[in-house]
Amino acid sequence: MESDRGDIKRAALLGLIQGPTEVLPVSSSAHLAMFPRLMGWDWEAIDPEIRKSFEVALHAAAAAALLVARGREILDELGRFDLDHARVLVLSFAPAAIVGYTLERKIEARLGGPRTTVAGLIAGAVLMALADLRPQDRGRGDVHDLDGLALGLGQAAALVPGVSRNGATLTAARARRFTRKHSSLLSRTVALPVILGAVALKGARLAKRGTTPEQNRWLAVGVVTSFVSTLASNRLIDLAEKDGALPVLAAYRIAFAALIWSRLSSGAASGVESVADERL
């Protein structure tokens, strides 16, 4: 990036983007990865490990904000988990943990380009809209092992850029006939162990390699703005649970994918085309 001040402004902007894109199933990771490229920032000049750690830090701040805003809901849901339901939580975590730990670097290196992100956005949008056609005849207290596995596979699939963890778990829950409201709650609940695991892994790696004072400043700014923007966007969750909301959000995902593709094809976004060619 151009300067410390420029870095901080960009970190703040990405933190502001994180909030609404985290609470809605539109793939915050795709927005964080593609927005700098669409804006022509020298994003590729930053160490890949630092970039990914920055994204994870923003996710962690967003999760913390949701715990503040929706903590009672989430704790109430967790409080209903007996030994059988605890098994559901493990099944929702294990696939993403195994795939993430063993294949994370390969996924980032080979599937992090714009074309793969476009494909993930579109595929996730189509599946989410189709899943929302399912009946809504399941709710609290009706979660079983197969539901946990479906949510876990959704979280593992979300490691592919553009798929969206929120979108994939919502899709899995709706496909299993949970109500939109409970699907949203399940999505937020099962996210916590995965986000905590990612933070621990990236935190350990950063501690081992170290960071510069400049990097610490824009990491801190990103975390604060992500936390604040997620708190401010909290009520968007209620809008996303209304009838007809998921197809509209699916349409937004496709529109965002079309924007990325058009800029990729025209070469209007600095570095986008070369990045895609390099990674595919």
Side-chain angles (χ1 to χ4, degrees), residues 103-143:
L103 299 177
E104 177 202 18
R105 293 187 186 278
K106 290 183 179 179
I107 290 172
E108 290 175 4
R110 299 181 183 180
L111 301 178
R115 289 189 177 118
T116 308
T117 302
V118 165
L121 283 165
I122 294 174
V126 171
L127 291 174
M128 185 170 68
L130 290 175
D132 197 45
L133 298 175
R134 296 278 283 168
Q136 300 184 72
D137 52 15
R138 299 179 65 194
R140 286 189 171 184
D142 190 22
V143 185

PDB file of all heavy atoms in Angstrom, residues 103-143:
ATOM      1  N   LEU A 103      -5.884 -28.471   4.071  1.00  0.00           N
ATOM      2  CA  LEU A 103      -5.876 -27.974   2.686  1.00  0.00           C
ATOM      3  C   LEU A 103      -5.919 -26.453   2.577  1.00  0.00           C
ATOM      4  O   LEU A 103      -6.013 -25.927   1.472  1.00  0.00           O
ATOM      5  CB  LEU A 103      -7.068 -28.558   1.916  1.00  0.00           C
ATOM      6  CG  LEU A 103      -7.117 -30.082   1.781  1.00  0.00           C
ATOM      7  CD1 LEU A 103      -8.399 -30.492   1.064  1.00  0.00           C
ATOM      8  CD2 LEU A 103      -5.899 -30.599   1.019  1.00  0.00           C
ATOM      9  N   GLU A 104      -5.864 -25.759   3.710  1.00  0.00           N
ATOM     10  CA  GLU A 104      -6.040 -24.302   3.683  1.00  0.00           C
ATOM     11  C   GLU A 104      -5.085 -23.607   2.720  1.00  0.00           C
ATOM     12  O   GLU A 104      -5.499 -22.795   1.884  1.00  0.00           O
ATOM     13  CB  GLU A 104      -5.828 -23.736   5.093  1.00  0.00           C
ATOM     14  CG  GLU A 104      -5.906 -22.223   5.151  1.00  0.00           C
ATOM     15  CD  GLU A 104      -5.186 -21.646   6.357  1.00  0.00           C
ATOM     16  OE1 GLU A 104      -4.349 -22.357   6.942  1.00  0.00           O
ATOM     17  OE2 GLU A 104      -5.454 -20.487   6.679  1.00  0.00           O
ATOM     18  N   ARG A 105      -3.803 -23.927   2.798  1.00  0.00           N
ATOM     19  CA  ARG A 105      -2.829 -23.221   1.960  1.00  0.00           C
ATOM     20  C   ARG A 105      -3.040 -23.530   0.480  1.00  0.00           C
ATOM     21  O   ARG A 105      -2.890 -22.658  -0.383  1.00  0.00           O
ATOM     22  CB  ARG A 105      -1.404 -23.580   2.396  1.00  0.00           C
ATOM     23  CG  ARG A 105      -1.051 -23.052   3.786  1.00  0.00           C
ATOM     24  CD  ARG A 105       0.407 -23.281   4.098  1.00  0.00           C
ATOM     25  NE  ARG A 105       0.754 -22.916   5.445  1.00  0.00           N
ATOM     26  CZ  ARG A 105       1.028 -21.675   5.854  1.00  0.00           C
ATOM     27  NH1 ARG A 105       0.953 -20.674   4.994  1.00  0.00           N
ATOM     28  NH2 ARG A 105       1.358 -21.429   7.111  1.00  0.00           N
ATOM     29  N   LYS A 106      -3.385 -24.775   0.164  1.00  0.00           N
ATOM     30  CA  LYS A 106      -3.645 -25.138  -1.234  1.00  0.00           C
ATOM     31  C   LYS A 106      -4.891 -24.428  -1.758  1.00  0.00           C
ATOM     32  O   LYS A 106      -4.923 -23.968  -2.908  1.00  0.00           O
ATOM     33  CB  LYS A 106      -3.811 -26.651  -1.361  1.00  0.00           C
ATOM     34  CG  LYS A 106      -2.518 -27.429  -1.161  1.00  0.00           C
ATOM     35  CD  LYS A 106      -2.728 -28.917  -1.366  1.00  0.00           C
ATOM     36  CE  LYS A 106      -1.415 -29.687  -1.185  1.00  0.00           C
ATOM     37  NZ  LYS A 106      -1.608 -31.147  -1.355  1.00  0.00           N
ATOM     38  N   ILE A 107      -5.914 -24.344  -0.918  1.00  0.00           N
ATOM     39  CA  ILE A 107      -7.136 -23.645  -1.328  1.00  0.00           C
ATOM     40  C   ILE A 107      -6.845 -22.177  -1.590  1.00  0.00           C
ATOM     41  O   ILE A 107      -7.283 -21.607  -2.598  1.00  0.00           O
ATOM     42  CB  ILE A 107      -8.224 -23.805  -0.243  1.00  0.00           C
ATOM     43  CG1 ILE A 107      -8.724 -25.250  -0.211  1.00  0.00           C
ATOM     44  CG2 ILE A 107      -9.390 -22.860  -0.508  1.00  0.00           C
ATOM     45  CD1 ILE A 107      -9.656 -25.549   0.942  1.00  0.00           C
ATOM     46  N   GLU A 108      -6.097 -21.544  -0.688  1.00  0.00           N
ATOM     47  CA  GLU A 108      -5.769 -20.125  -0.857  1.00  0.00           C
ATOM     48  C   GLU A 108      -4.935 -19.894  -2.115  1.00  0.00           C
ATOM     49  O   GLU A 108      -5.132 -18.908  -2.826  1.00  0.00           O
ATOM     50  CB  GLU A 108      -5.015 -19.620   0.370  1.00  0.00           C
ATOM     51  CG  GLU A 108      -5.874 -19.528   1.628  1.00  0.00           C
ATOM     52  CD  GLU A 108      -5.071 -19.136   2.845  1.00  0.00           C
ATOM     53  OE1 GLU A 108      -3.860 -18.853   2.689  1.00  0.00           O
ATOM     54  OE2 GLU A 108      -5.630 -19.123   3.952  1.00  0.00           O
ATOM     55  N   ALA A 109      -3.993 -20.812  -2.397  1.00  0.00           N
ATOM     56  CA  ALA A 109      -3.096 -20.631  -3.529  1.00  0.00           C
ATOM     57  C   ALA A 109      -3.779 -20.903  -4.867  1.00  0.00           C
ATOM     58  O   ALA A 109      -3.540 -20.205  -5.859  1.00  0.00           O
ATOM     59  CB  ALA A 109      -1.877 -21.542  -3.379  1.00  0.00           C
ATOM     60  N   ARG A 110      -4.642 -21.919  -4.901  1.00  0.00           N
ATOM     61  CA  ARG A 110      -5.205 -22.361  -6.179  1.00  0.00           C
ATOM     62  C   ARG A 110      -6.620 -21.875  -6.451  1.00  0.00           C
ATOM     63  O   ARG A 110      -7.053 -21.843  -7.599  1.00  0.00           O
ATOM     64  CB  ARG A 110      -5.174 -23.893  -6.245  1.00  0.00           C
ATOM     65  CG  ARG A 110      -3.761 -24.464  -6.167  1.00  0.00           C
ATOM     66  CD  ARG A 110      -3.774 -25.980  -6.265  1.00  0.00           C
ATOM     67  NE  ARG A 110      -2.432 -26.538  -6.125  1.00  0.00           N
ATOM     68  CZ  ARG A 110      -2.153 -27.833  -6.176  1.00  0.00           C
ATOM     69  NH1 ARG A 110      -3.134 -28.716  -6.368  1.00  0.00           N
ATOM     70  NH2 ARG A 110      -0.911 -28.256  -6.026  1.00  0.00           N
ATOM     71  N   LEU A 111      -7.355 -21.526  -5.389  1.00  0.00           N
ATOM     72  CA  LEU A 111      -8.757 -21.175  -5.573  1.00  0.00           C
ATOM     73  C   LEU A 111      -9.072 -19.746  -5.132  1.00  0.00           C
ATOM     74  O   LEU A 111     -10.231 -19.406  -4.930  1.00  0.00           O
ATOM     75  CB  LEU A 111      -9.648 -22.163  -4.799  1.00  0.00           C
ATOM     76  CG  LEU A 111      -9.524 -23.632  -5.182  1.00  0.00           C
ATOM     77  CD1 LEU A 111     -10.429 -24.486  -4.293  1.00  0.00           C
ATOM     78  CD2 LEU A 111      -9.865 -23.850  -6.651  1.00  0.00           C
ATOM     79  N   GLY A 112      -8.038 -18.929  -5.003  1.00  0.00           N
ATOM     80  CA  GLY A 112      -8.268 -17.576  -4.508  1.00  0.00           C
ATOM     81  C   GLY A 112      -8.436 -16.525  -5.574  1.00  0.00           C
ATOM     82  O   GLY A 112      -8.575 -15.342  -5.258  1.00  0.00           O
ATOM     83  N   GLY A 113      -8.442 -16.917  -6.854  1.00  0.00           N
ATOM     84  CA  GLY A 113      -8.536 -15.954  -7.934  1.00  0.00           C
ATOM     85  C   GLY A 113      -9.965 -15.485  -8.190  1.00  0.00           C
ATOM     86  O   GLY A 113     -10.937 -16.069  -7.705  1.00  0.00           O
ATOM     87  N   PRO A 114     -10.118 -14.433  -8.988  1.00  0.00           N
ATOM     88  CA  PRO A 114     -11.451 -13.884  -9.284  1.00  0.00           C
ATOM     89  C   PRO A 114     -12.398 -14.872  -9.941  1.00  0.00           C
ATOM     90  O   PRO A 114     -13.582 -14.903  -9.617  1.00  0.00           O
ATOM     91  CB  PRO A 114     -11.139 -12.715 -10.222  1.00  0.00           C
ATOM     92  CG  PRO A 114      -9.754 -12.300  -9.846  1.00  0.00           C
ATOM     93  CD  PRO A 114      -9.037 -13.564  -9.496  1.00  0.00           C
ATOM     94  N   ARG A 115     -11.897 -15.693 -10.864  1.00  0.00           N
ATOM     95  CA  ARG A 115     -12.803 -16.612 -11.563  1.00  0.00           C
ATOM     96  C   ARG A 115     -13.409 -17.632 -10.599  1.00  0.00           C
ATOM     97  O   ARG A 115     -14.598 -17.951 -10.678  1.00  0.00           O
ATOM     98  CB  ARG A 115     -12.055 -17.319 -12.697  1.00  0.00           C
ATOM     99  CG  ARG A 115     -11.743 -16.386 -13.864  1.00  0.00           C
ATOM    100  CD  ARG A 115     -11.209 -17.165 -15.056  1.00  0.00           C
ATOM    101  NE  ARG A 115     -10.982 -16.268 -16.177  1.00  0.00           N
ATOM    102  CZ  ARG A 115      -9.805 -16.030 -16.745  1.00  0.00           C
ATOM    103  NH1 ARG A 115      -8.740 -16.638 -16.271  1.00  0.00           N
ATOM    104  NH2 ARG A 115      -9.695 -15.204 -17.753  1.00  0.00           N
ATOM    105  N   THR A 116     -12.596 -18.164  -9.701  1.00  0.00           N
ATOM    106  CA  THR A 116     -13.109 -19.110  -8.726  1.00  0.00           C
ATOM    107  C   THR A 116     -14.098 -18.432  -7.783  1.00  0.00           C
ATOM    108  O   THR A 116     -15.128 -19.015  -7.412  1.00  0.00           O
ATOM    109  CB  THR A 116     -11.959 -19.703  -7.896  1.00  0.00           C
ATOM    110  OG1 THR A 116     -10.962 -20.204  -8.771  1.00  0.00           O
ATOM    111  CG2 THR A 116     -12.449 -20.832  -7.007  1.00  0.00           C
ATOM    112  N   THR A 117     -13.817 -17.194  -7.403  1.00  0.00           N
ATOM    113  CA  THR A 117     -14.722 -16.445  -6.539  1.00  0.00           C
ATOM    114  C   THR A 117     -16.054 -16.204  -7.225  1.00  0.00           C
ATOM    115  O   THR A 117     -17.123 -16.348  -6.610  1.00  0.00           O
ATOM    116  CB  THR A 117     -14.090 -15.107  -6.129  1.00  0.00           C
ATOM    117  OG1 THR A 117     -12.845 -15.354  -5.456  1.00  0.00           O
ATOM    118  CG2 THR A 117     -15.010 -14.316  -5.216  1.00  0.00           C
ATOM    119  N   VAL A 118     -16.012 -15.847  -8.498  1.00  0.00           N
ATOM    120  CA  VAL A 118     -17.245 -15.663  -9.278  1.00  0.00           C
ATOM    121  C   VAL A 118     -18.061 -16.957  -9.288  1.00  0.00           C
ATOM    122  O   VAL A 118     -19.279 -16.952  -9.059  1.00  0.00           O
ATOM    123  CB  VAL A 118     -16.915 -15.219 -10.714  1.00  0.00           C
ATOM    124  CG1 VAL A 118     -18.119 -15.389 -11.635  1.00  0.00           C
ATOM    125  CG2 VAL A 118     -16.450 -13.764 -10.725  1.00  0.00           C
ATOM    126  N   ALA A 119     -17.385 -18.074  -9.543  1.00  0.00           N
ATOM    127  CA  ALA A 119     -18.080 -19.368  -9.569  1.00  0.00           C
ATOM    128  C   ALA A 119     -18.703 -19.683  -8.212  1.00  0.00           C
ATOM    129  O   ALA A 119     -19.843 -20.166  -8.124  1.00  0.00           O
ATOM    130  CB  ALA A 119     -17.114 -20.474  -9.983  1.00  0.00           C
ATOM    131  N   GLY A 120     -17.966 -19.409  -7.121  1.00  0.00           N
ATOM    132  CA  GLY A 120     -18.488 -19.668  -5.788  1.00  0.00           C
ATOM    133  C   GLY A 120     -19.690 -18.805  -5.456  1.00  0.00           C
ATOM    134  O   GLY A 120     -20.666 -19.275  -4.854  1.00  0.00           O
ATOM    135  N   LEU A 121     -19.643 -17.535  -5.853  1.00  0.00           N
ATOM    136  CA  LEU A 121     -20.769 -16.633  -5.614  1.00  0.00           C
ATOM    137  C   LEU A 121     -22.027 -17.112  -6.341  1.00  0.00           C
ATOM    138  O   LEU A 121     -23.123 -17.149  -5.764  1.00  0.00           O
ATOM    139  CB  LEU A 121     -20.417 -15.215  -6.077  1.00  0.00           C
ATOM    140  CG  LEU A 121     -19.500 -14.403  -5.163  1.00  0.00           C
ATOM    141  CD1 LEU A 121     -18.949 -13.188  -5.900  1.00  0.00           C
ATOM    142  CD2 LEU A 121     -20.242 -13.965  -3.897  1.00  0.00           C
ATOM    143  N   ILE A 122     -21.867 -17.499  -7.598  1.00  0.00           N
ATOM    144  CA  ILE A 122     -23.029 -17.908  -8.392  1.00  0.00           C
ATOM    145  C   ILE A 122     -23.573 -19.250  -7.918  1.00  0.00           C
ATOM    146  O   ILE A 122     -24.791 -19.412  -7.729  1.00  0.00           O
ATOM    147  CB  ILE A 122     -22.667 -17.960  -9.891  1.00  0.00           C
ATOM    148  CG1 ILE A 122     -22.351 -16.544 -10.389  1.00  0.00           C
ATOM    149  CG2 ILE A 122     -23.796 -18.576 -10.706  1.00  0.00           C
ATOM    150  CD1 ILE A 122     -21.835 -16.491 -11.813  1.00  0.00           C
ATOM    151  N   ALA A 123     -22.686 -20.220  -7.716  1.00  0.00           N
ATOM    152  CA  ALA A 123     -23.136 -21.538  -7.267  1.00  0.00           C
ATOM    153  C   ALA A 123     -23.849 -21.430  -5.913  1.00  0.00           C
ATOM    154  O   ALA A 123     -24.908 -22.030  -5.700  1.00  0.00           O
ATOM    155  CB  ALA A 123     -21.953 -22.497  -7.173  1.00  0.00           C
ATOM    156  N   GLY A 124     -23.270 -20.661  -5.004  1.00  0.00           N
ATOM    157  CA  GLY A 124     -23.885 -20.487  -3.694  1.00  0.00           C
ATOM    158  C   GLY A 124     -25.237 -19.803  -3.785  1.00  0.00           C
ATOM    159  O   GLY A 124     -26.173 -20.143  -3.052  1.00  0.00           O
ATOM    160  N   ALA A 125     -25.357 -18.834  -4.704  1.00  0.00           N
ATOM    161  CA  ALA A 125     -26.624 -18.122  -4.877  1.00  0.00           C
ATOM    162  C   ALA A 125     -27.720 -19.053  -5.382  1.00  0.00           C
ATOM    163  O   ALA A 125     -28.852 -19.046  -4.874  1.00  0.00           O
ATOM    164  CB  ALA A 125     -26.432 -16.965  -5.851  1.00  0.00           C
ATOM    165  N   VAL A 126     -27.396 -19.855  -6.383  1.00  0.00           N
ATOM    166  CA  VAL A 126     -28.388 -20.766  -6.971  1.00  0.00           C
ATOM    167  C   VAL A 126     -28.849 -21.791  -5.935  1.00  0.00           C
ATOM    168  O   VAL A 126     -30.056 -22.042  -5.771  1.00  0.00           O
ATOM    169  CB  VAL A 126     -27.807 -21.458  -8.220  1.00  0.00           C
ATOM    170  CG1 VAL A 126     -28.740 -22.562  -8.708  1.00  0.00           C
ATOM    171  CG2 VAL A 126     -27.565 -20.439  -9.326  1.00  0.00           C
ATOM    172  N   LEU A 127     -27.904 -22.393  -5.228  1.00  0.00           N
ATOM    173  CA  LEU A 127     -28.260 -23.414  -4.233  1.00  0.00           C
ATOM    174  C   LEU A 127     -29.066 -22.818  -3.080  1.00  0.00           C
ATOM    175  O   LEU A 127     -30.001 -23.449  -2.570  1.00  0.00           O
ATOM    176  CB  LEU A 127     -26.989 -24.080  -3.701  1.00  0.00           C
ATOM    177  CG  LEU A 127     -26.247 -24.971  -4.705  1.00  0.00           C
ATOM    178  CD1 LEU A 127     -24.925 -25.450  -4.114  1.00  0.00           C
ATOM    179  CD2 LEU A 127     -27.106 -26.160  -5.116  1.00  0.00           C
ATOM    180  N   MET A 128     -28.725 -21.587  -2.670  1.00  0.00           N
ATOM    181  CA  MET A 128     -29.462 -20.938  -1.592  1.00  0.00           C
ATOM    182  C   MET A 128     -30.902 -20.661  -2.005  1.00  0.00           C
ATOM    183  O   MET A 128     -31.840 -20.895  -1.222  1.00  0.00           O
ATOM    184  CB  MET A 128     -28.762 -19.641  -1.187  1.00  0.00           C
ATOM    185  CG  MET A 128     -29.383 -18.942   0.013  1.00  0.00           C
ATOM    186  SD  MET A 128     -28.353 -17.577   0.642  1.00  0.00           S
ATOM    187  CE  MET A 128     -28.499 -16.412  -0.733  1.00  0.00           C
ATOM    188  N   ALA A 129     -31.094 -20.162  -3.219  1.00  0.00           N
ATOM    189  CA  ALA A 129     -32.449 -19.878  -3.696  1.00  0.00           C
ATOM    190  C   ALA A 129     -33.271 -21.160  -3.820  1.00  0.00           C
ATOM    191  O   ALA A 129     -34.459 -21.185  -3.482  1.00  0.00           O
ATOM    192  CB  ALA A 129     -32.379 -19.149  -5.039  1.00  0.00           C
ATOM    193  N   LEU A 130     -32.646 -22.234  -4.289  1.00  0.00           N
ATOM    194  CA  LEU A 130     -33.356 -23.509  -4.420  1.00  0.00           C
ATOM    195  C   LEU A 130     -33.710 -24.081  -3.050  1.00  0.00           C
ATOM    196  O   LEU A 130     -34.819 -24.582  -2.835  1.00  0.00           O
ATOM    197  CB  LEU A 130     -32.503 -24.507  -5.207  1.00  0.00           C
ATOM    198  CG  LEU A 130     -32.328 -24.217  -6.702  1.00  0.00           C
ATOM    199  CD1 LEU A 130     -31.358 -25.217  -7.328  1.00  0.00           C
ATOM    200  CD2 LEU A 130     -33.671 -24.256  -7.434  1.00  0.00           C
ATOM    201  N   ALA A 131     -32.766 -24.010  -2.108  1.00  0.00           N
ATOM    202  CA  ALA A 131     -33.020 -24.540  -0.768  1.00  0.00           C
ATOM    203  C   ALA A 131     -34.157 -23.789  -0.082  1.00  0.00           C
ATOM    204  O   ALA A 131     -34.913 -24.371   0.708  1.00  0.00           O
ATOM    205  CB  ALA A 131     -31.754 -24.463   0.077  1.00  0.00           C
ATOM    206  N   ASP A 132     -34.310 -22.507  -0.407  1.00  0.00           N
ATOM    207  CA  ASP A 132     -35.349 -21.711   0.237  1.00  0.00           C
ATOM    208  C   ASP A 132     -36.755 -22.091  -0.239  1.00  0.00           C
ATOM    209  O   ASP A 132     -37.748 -21.613   0.322  1.00  0.00           O
ATOM    210  CB  ASP A 132     -35.108 -20.219  -0.003  1.00  0.00           C
ATOM    211  CG  ASP A 132     -35.886 -19.346   0.966  1.00  0.00           C
ATOM    212  OD1 ASP A 132     -35.879 -19.663   2.163  1.00  0.00           O
ATOM    213  OD2 ASP A 132     -36.503 -18.351   0.524  1.00  0.00           O
ATOM    214  N   LEU A 133     -36.851 -22.935  -1.257  1.00  0.00           N
ATOM    215  CA  LEU A 133     -38.147 -23.429  -1.714  1.00  0.00           C
ATOM    216  C   LEU A 133     -38.664 -24.559  -0.819  1.00  0.00           C
ATOM    217  O   LEU A 133     -39.831 -24.943  -0.906  1.00  0.00           O
ATOM    218  CB  LEU A 133     -38.051 -23.933  -3.159  1.00  0.00           C
ATOM    219  CG  LEU A 133     -37.659 -22.887  -4.218  1.00  0.00           C
ATOM    220  CD1 LEU A 133     -37.487 -23.559  -5.571  1.00  0.00           C
ATOM    221  CD2 LEU A 133     -38.704 -21.779  -4.298  1.00  0.00           C
ATOM    222  N   ARG A 134     -37.789 -25.086   0.029  1.00  0.00           N
ATOM    223  CA  ARG A 134     -38.165 -26.208   0.886  1.00  0.00           C
ATOM    224  C   ARG A 134     -39.173 -25.756   1.960  1.00  0.00           C
ATOM    225  O   ARG A 134     -39.221 -24.582   2.328  1.00  0.00           O
ATOM    226  CB  ARG A 134     -36.924 -26.778   1.566  1.00  0.00           C
ATOM    227  CG  ARG A 134     -35.915 -27.373   0.600  1.00  0.00           C
ATOM    228  CD  ARG A 134     -36.299 -28.774   0.201  1.00  0.00           C
ATOM    229  NE  ARG A 134     -35.964 -29.705   1.285  1.00  0.00           N
ATOM    230  CZ  ARG A 134     -36.382 -30.962   1.340  1.00  0.00           C
ATOM    231  NH1 ARG A 134     -37.171 -31.436   0.394  1.00  0.00           N
ATOM    232  NH2 ARG A 134     -36.006 -31.744   2.341  1.00  0.00           N
ATOM    233  N   PRO A 135     -39.967 -26.696   2.484  1.00  0.00           N
ATOM    234  CA  PRO A 135     -40.905 -26.341   3.564  1.00  0.00           C
ATOM    235  C   PRO A 135     -40.164 -25.855   4.801  1.00  0.00           C
ATOM    236  O   PRO A 135     -38.970 -26.102   4.972  1.00  0.00           O
ATOM    237  CB  PRO A 135     -41.617 -27.666   3.850  1.00  0.00           C
ATOM    238  CG  PRO A 135     -41.377 -28.521   2.664  1.00  0.00           C
ATOM    239  CD  PRO A 135     -40.053 -28.109   2.097  1.00  0.00           C
ATOM    240  N   GLN A 136     -40.900 -25.154   5.672  1.00  0.00           N
ATOM    241  CA  GLN A 136     -40.338 -24.671   6.942  1.00  0.00           C
ATOM    242  C   GLN A 136     -41.078 -25.364   8.089  1.00  0.00           C
ATOM    243  O   GLN A 136     -41.900 -24.752   8.770  1.00  0.00           O
ATOM    244  CB  GLN A 136     -40.492 -23.158   7.062  1.00  0.00           C
ATOM    245  CG  GLN A 136     -39.805 -22.371   5.957  1.00  0.00           C
ATOM    246  CD  GLN A 136     -39.916 -20.879   6.197  1.00  0.00           C
ATOM    247  OE1 GLN A 136     -39.272 -20.320   7.100  1.00  0.00           O
ATOM    248  NE2 GLN A 136     -40.729 -20.200   5.399  1.00  0.00           N
ATOM    249  N   ASP A 137     -40.775 -26.629   8.306  1.00  0.00           N
ATOM    250  CA  ASP A 137     -41.514 -27.381   9.313  1.00  0.00           C
ATOM    251  C   ASP A 137     -40.634 -27.918  10.444  1.00  0.00           C
ATOM    252  O   ASP A 137     -41.037 -28.810  11.179  1.00  0.00           O
ATOM    253  CB  ASP A 137     -42.284 -28.537   8.660  1.00  0.00           C
ATOM    254  CG  ASP A 137     -41.402 -29.416   7.780  1.00  0.00           C
ATOM    255  OD1 ASP A 137     -40.165 -29.321   7.894  1.00  0.00           O
ATOM    256  OD2 ASP A 137     -41.958 -30.186   6.980  1.00  0.00           O
ATOM    257  N   ARG A 138     -39.417 -27.348  10.596  1.00  0.00           N
ATOM    258  CA  ARG A 138     -38.557 -27.764  11.696  1.00  0.00           C
ATOM    259  C   ARG A 138     -38.025 -26.532  12.409  1.00  0.00           C
ATOM    260  O   ARG A 138     -37.818 -25.481  11.802  1.00  0.00           O
ATOM    261  CB  ARG A 138     -37.388 -28.615  11.186  1.00  0.00           C
ATOM    262  CG  ARG A 138     -37.818 -29.901  10.483  1.00  0.00           C
ATOM    263  CD  ARG A 138     -36.638 -30.696   9.989  1.00  0.00           C
ATOM    264  NE  ARG A 138     -35.826 -31.165  11.112  1.00  0.00           N
ATOM    265  CZ  ARG A 138     -34.586 -31.656  10.957  1.00  0.00           C
ATOM    266  NH1 ARG A 138     -34.023 -31.709   9.762  1.00  0.00           N
ATOM    267  NH2 ARG A 138     -33.920 -32.079  12.012  1.00  0.00           N
ATOM    268  N   GLY A 139     -37.785 -26.695  13.727  1.00  0.00           N
ATOM    269  CA  GLY A 139     -37.311 -25.562  14.510  1.00  0.00           C
ATOM    270  C   GLY A 139     -36.477 -26.016  15.686  1.00  0.00           C
ATOM    271  O   GLY A 139     -35.803 -27.050  15.628  1.00  0.00           O
ATOM    272  N   ARG A 140     -36.527 -25.292  16.771  1.00  0.00           N
ATOM    273  CA  ARG A 140     -35.713 -25.588  17.950  1.00  0.00           C
ATOM    274  C   ARG A 140     -36.056 -26.957  18.527  1.00  0.00           C
ATOM    275  O   ARG A 140     -37.200 -27.373  18.528  1.00  0.00           O
ATOM    276  CB  ARG A 140     -35.933 -24.521  19.015  1.00  0.00           C
ATOM    277  CG  ARG A 140     -35.250 -23.209  18.673  1.00  0.00           C
ATOM    278  CD  ARG A 140     -35.307 -22.260  19.843  1.00  0.00           C
ATOM    279  NE  ARG A 140     -34.472 -21.092  19.585  1.00  0.00           N
ATOM    280  CZ  ARG A 140     -34.276 -20.123  20.475  1.00  0.00           C
ATOM    281  NH1 ARG A 140     -34.837 -20.196  21.675  1.00  0.00           N
ATOM    282  NH2 ARG A 140     -33.512 -19.093  20.178  1.00  0.00           N
ATOM    283  N   GLY A 141     -35.021 -27.633  19.010  1.00  0.00           N
ATOM    284  CA  GLY A 141     -35.199 -28.939  19.618  1.00  0.00           C
ATOM    285  C   GLY A 141     -35.322 -30.070  18.623  1.00  0.00           C
ATOM    286  O   GLY A 141     -35.519 -31.220  19.007  1.00  0.00           O
ATOM    287  N   ASP A 142     -35.182 -29.755  17.348  1.00  0.00           N
ATOM    288  CA  ASP A 142     -35.366 -30.772  16.308  1.00  0.00           C
ATOM    289  C   ASP A 142     -34.097 -30.913  15.464  1.00  0.00           C
ATOM    290  O   ASP A 142     -34.157 -31.017  14.245  1.00  0.00           O
ATOM    291  CB  ASP A 142     -36.566 -30.394  15.432  1.00  0.00           C
ATOM    292  CG  ASP A 142     -36.981 -31.515  14.485  1.00  0.00           C
ATOM    293  OD1 ASP A 142     -36.653 -32.679  14.778  1.00  0.00           O
ATOM    294  OD2 ASP A 142     -37.615 -31.217  13.453  1.00  0.00           O
ATOM    295  N   VAL A 143     -32.942 -30.865  16.122  1.00  0.00           N
ATOM    296  CA  VAL A 143     -31.660 -30.950  15.431  1.00  0.00           C
ATOM    297  C   VAL A 143     -31.035 -32.316  15.687  1.00  0.00           C
ATOM    298  O   VAL A 143     -30.948 -32.762  16.833  1.00  0.00           O
ATOM    299  CB  VAL A 143     -30.691 -29.840  15.901  1.00  0.00           C
ATOM    300  CG1 VAL A 143     -29.405 -29.867  15.096  1.00  0.00           C
ATOM    301  CG2 VAL A 143     -31.359 -28.480  15.780  1.00  0.00           C
TER     302      VAL A 143
END
